[in-house]
Amino acid sequence: MNTIFALAQVVIKELYRRKDFYVLFILTVLITLLMASASIFHDDKIVRYLKDICLLLIWISALVMAVGTAARQIPAERENRTIFPLLAKPVSRAQVIAGKFLGCWLASGMALVVFYLFLGLVCASREHEWHVFIYLQALWLQWVFLAVIIALVLFGSVIFAAPSSNATISIVVVISIWFLGSHLNTVALQQAEPMRSIIYTIYFLIPHLEWYDIRDLVVHNRPLVSGTICGLATLYGAAYTGVFLFATWLCFRRKPLN
Amino acid sequence: MNTILDIKDLRVEYRNRAIGQTTKLAVNGLNLSVQPGEVFGFLGPNGAGKTTTMNVLLGFVNATSGSASLFGVDVREPIARQRIGYLPELTYYYKFLTAEELLRFYAKVFGIPRAETEKRIDELIKLVELEPARKRPIKSYSKGMQQRVGLAQALINNPDLLILDEPTSGLDPIGRMKVREIIQRLKNDGKTVFFSSHELGEVETVCDRVAILHQGELKVEGRVDDLMQKYKANLEQIFLRIIGYQPVAVS
Amino acid sequence: MPAPCYILALLLTLCFTLATSLQLRMHSISTGTPSDDMLKAVLGDGRRMFANHYFVKADVYFHSGYYPSIFEQGAKAPANARHMVEEHHDEGGDHDEHEHEKAMDFLGQPKDWIDRFGRHFYSSTHSHLDKPGEAREILPWLRLSADLDPQRIETYTVAAYWLRGHLGKVDEAEQFLREGLRANPTSYEILFELGMLYSENHHDSSRARNLWELALRRWQDQDAVNRPSVLQRWEESKDVGDIQPDINIYLKIITQLALLEEGQGDLRQALHYRELEVKVSPLPELVQVEIDKLKQKLASPPISAPTK
Ligand SMILES: Nc1ncnc2c1ncn2[C@@H]1O[C@H](COP(=O)(O)OP(=O)(O)OP(=O)(O)O)[C@@H](O)[C@H]1O
Ligand SMILES: [Mg+2]
């Protein structure tokens, strides 16, 4: 466990010593503030469009950061040959994977907290009330979302040689699942038989990432998702994360390194 | 005496990905054992298979056939690496960390208690003479300085067996001298050192035993003194003769 | 390293947002045309697409996010979004309300457990922005839509309806309508809405009358060749899908004019408008009642007719 945390710490250190996070955060802040400064019919209580834009930016930034970081981890270890001194220590490859995952996940969690604090500030300045619980829920679900994504990307990174192609493929896969995944059943029902079963099978196999995106509820002040539902969604996400991490380990376990 | 490092009938083939290419035989039927307290020189021309052998010992590369063990534990078990220190041949470390942070990280991996870690880091940094640069990120280091960091990390857990792949490459004369001193000191402390090198003069002075590898096969193995007596020559001449080097006549 | 590429891609996608937001700012500073031309040059016809997107977005907001996706093909999205204004001031609203409820029940029964479970995570119940002041939330998207496609008339009328009717921002509504009129000088819809503003908010009947009369003239002028036939087609079948909106606005204009004239005591003029109305109204019996009433009053004028 110590080893895993030590590895995670290195990932986090790397992330905050790089410029990515700062660039994305400052961009988000700038764009949101710019939108906020526009006077729309002299009404300064309009807030939902701001929430909407800010959340969109948060989602894009978090996705880019998580995918970029996770895709880079293992290939960079191999390319820079840092994996050799590391694995020469009593560290198993499973621990390397777990540590890399944990590092990416914790780092993105920390980034999310910063982003959501900013969102809270912007909204509170207009609404004069704090919808703390819905923000916390949105943050938590997005974090679970990122766990699945990071595990998926790590899996990709032991399959595809180049990190950039892995990142691109991962982003495409994630975005298509995110936006189309929930509609595959509708599509399947419109197809003839062989296709129908195939699409339905895919529908049941893919992780339903769209669940974790409750921006709609946050933007429109809809009620909270119930705790049970939230917990079940977390379990579902954890299961997929586990599956992807296990697959990563299977592929990486016996891979010759050079 | 129980053997610390044992290699039996080791054979390693690299499978080339390019279509139509055959496999490349890097190590062929290698048998080797190293006893505790020995300094063992692992010699051979470029491409002989030294690094490949070490990679097998550390579990990076799987043996095609044969076996290898450290402290009597199969090298595929991570626990076999608990008491070894390793210096890779081309050293690169996390560039964004400082030397101190890097050593702290590796100490944590070994589960060394915190108080001891700090003491050890101070010692090692002094040993490899990186005092002025210890708080700078590694990306700002010169090649030789990186090699020194590598040496320090190999010693972080106070290992019983050191596996060093060309420890003096990239070092200045003082650095080389220092490495020789370190090896000597480790030997005096009863540690075992297994290292590869192209510096035959150096090997001659520090090694108890040597092995010369050529094209993946073990050509000669024995105590340095015995070999020199047998061949009536110094190590360099022996080496050249074994790999079949014919001097080109210059007129 | 993939990171720079992503940042670049992100920057590009955000450029658009930025451009439109700058556009918003420009408007708050001055209603400048240079930026308008620039944006037009840069984005060309894509503007219209985006304008439509943002207009729909306003409608999505109006439903608090409950909106059919392109996959819910069974459901006809309330495409022209007229209901955004009509729901609240239609007298026959009850019927329409039901229609709308039915149209918006696009989700249906959950198809499987994933579908059922997933409904907890997005807006899956139908609702409107009913709380006082909440309607302001749709305004930014309408503003954006108008900036991108100044020729889209609904944008102005919908925004003005909410601004003056529910948010008490009559001046802003008037300004926005006039902006729309500058971009679409022949729009009878905007003229009608402007008339409503004068009549309901400023209680200025004479300006309202002028505006509505102008609107009526514009309605008749527009597409002058086809007008008579449009009316004729309507009178024959009463259900010609593509001209329905046109007829609706015509009806509204003449109804308002009739009411105004009646209120002002010009019964003869009121009768004239009612007679036009009865020909196109979907409920001619009701209009006929009004006509009969007017005729009665004309036959026996009260002792002191109200003068203006
Ligand atoms: N990944 C690989 N795929 C294919 N062949 C390889 C691979 N790695 C090494 N080889 C080959 O295996 C042989 C042994 O290489 P190795 O690196 O062990 O040599 P070495 O003795 O360490 O040489 P040097 O003194 O140059 O470090 C070489 O012929 C090399 O070309
Ligand atoms: Mg080598």
Side-chain angles (χ1 to χ4, degrees), chain B residues 23-232:
Chain B
T23 56
K24 161 85 195 163
L25 187 60
V27 177
N28 190 7
L30 180 66
N31 282 294
L32 212 62
S33 62
V34 177
Q35 308 304 323
E38 265 185 333
V39 175
F40 195 99
F42 198 42
L43 313 177
N46 291 139
K50 305 182 293 294
T51 302
T52 305
T53 309
M54 292 188 174
N55 282 351
V56 172
L57 288 174
L58 293 154
F60 304 150
V61 171
N62 303 318
T64 311
S65 68
S67 68
S69 64
L70 299 172
F71 303 99
V73 181
D74 191 288
V75 290
R76 279 171 295 188
E77 305 290 331
I79 196 69
R81 302 190 282 275
Q82 182 68 38
R83 283 157 62 203
I84 67 168
Y86 168 64
L87 172 71
E89 91 179 308
L90 300 164
T91 48
Y92 297 93
Y93 301 95
Y94 303 101
K95 295 187 176 65
F96 48 89
L97 296 180
T98 65
E100 245 179 47
E101 285 171 328
L102 185 82
L103 293 178
R104 211 169 285 141
F105 163 62
Y106 286 134
K108 217 178 271 178
V109 168
F110 277 110
I112 300 171
R114 177 154 289 185
E116 204 189 318
T117 302
E118 295 306 318
K119 217 176 79 203
R120 193 118 191 95
I121 289 175
D122 286 342
E123 266 171 38
L124 287 172
I125 285 184
K126 199 175 276 168
L127 184 72
V128 299
E129 290 171 346
L130 276 177
E131 290 276 52
R134 61 186 288 172
K135 287 195 194 303
R136 280 203 337 239
I138 293 177
K139 64 172 168 248
S140 70
Y141 286 14
S142 74
K143 186 179 162 200
M145 286 161 87
Q146 294 202 19
Q147 187 75 10
R148 287 158 194 255
V149 175
L151 204 57
Q153 64 81 27
L155 295 170
I156 187 77
N157 58 332
N158 196 12
D160 294 329
L161 168 65
L162 270 152
I163 298 177
L164 311 174
D165 203 349
E166 300 184 26
T168 51
S169 84
L171 291 184
D172 58 22
I174 302 173
R176 281 158 200 253
M177 182 87 81
K178 195 90 196 168
V179 170
R180 229 174 297 156
E181 275 171 33
I182 292 172
I183 292 177
Q184 203 67 54
R185 222 169 69 197
L186 289 167
K187 185 187 170 182
N188 294 343
D189 290 349
K191 314 277 186 197
T192 315
V193 183
F194 179 77
F195 77 106
S196 75
S197 180
H198 294 297
E199 299 292 325
L200 298 180
E202 175 182 293
V203 172
E204 209 176 281
T205 52
V206 296
C207 286
D208 301 320
R209 278 205 305 153
V210 292
I212 300 178
L213 207 64
H214 185 39
Q215 292 174 345
E217 285 174 27
L218 185 64
K219 295 292 180 189
V220 165
E221 195 246 298
R223 295 192 60 80
V224 180
D225 318 340
D226 296 351
L227 287 179
M228 293 215 287
Q229 236 159 41
K230 187 175 156 200
Y231 287 87
K232 306 244 181 315

Side-chain angles (χ1 to χ4, degrees), chain C residues 141-158:
Chain C
W141 304 115
L142 292 176
R143 170 80 260 180
L144 203 53
S145 179
D147 284 336
L148 288 170
D149 182 5
Q151 265 70 49
R152 194 181 175 117
I153 287 153
E154 287 163 290
T155 318
Y156 302 101
T157 54
V158 170

Side-chain angles (χ1 to χ4, degrees), chain A residues 17 23 34 60 86 153 168 179 193:
Chain A
R17 287 185 188 172
V23 170
L34 204 64
I60 295 174
L86 179 62
V153 174
T168 316
F179 289 109
E193 197 24 77

Side-chain angles (χ1 to χ4, degrees), chain A residues 179-197:
Chain A
F179 289 109
L180 306 180
S182 63
H183 302 296
L184 278 182
N185 56 353
T186 320
V187 174
L189 292 176
Q190 288 158 4
Q191 304 291 322
E193 197 24 77
M195 271 318 271
R196 185 184 206 152
S197 303

Side-chain angles (χ1 to χ4, degrees), chain A residues 20 24 31 34-35 37 42-43 46-49 52 57 60 167-168 183 189-190 200 203 211 222, chain C residues 3 6 10 14 21 25 57 61 63-64 69 71 73 112 114 118 121 125 129 134 136-137 169 172:
Chain A
D20 309 24
L24 289 169
I31 293 173
L34 204 64
M35 296 306 273
S37 69
H42 308 122
D43 193 327
I46 306 180
V47 68
R48 292 191 187 173
Y49 82 105
D52 205 341
L57 292 171
I60 295 174
T168 316
H183 302 296
L189 292 176
Q190 288 158 4
Y200 237 111
Y203 174 74
W211 293 351
R222 294 266 183 166
Chain C
Y6 283 112
L10 185 72
L14 294 183
S21 83
R25 272 175 78 78
K57 185 118 186 155
Y61 268 44
H63 290 100
S64 298
S69 70
F71 291 95
Q73 285 165 336
D112 40 63
I114 289 178
F121 302 98
T125 50
L129 294 180
E134 250 191 337
R136 64 162 60 88
E137 304 293 350
K169 289 188 175 289
E172 281 83 358

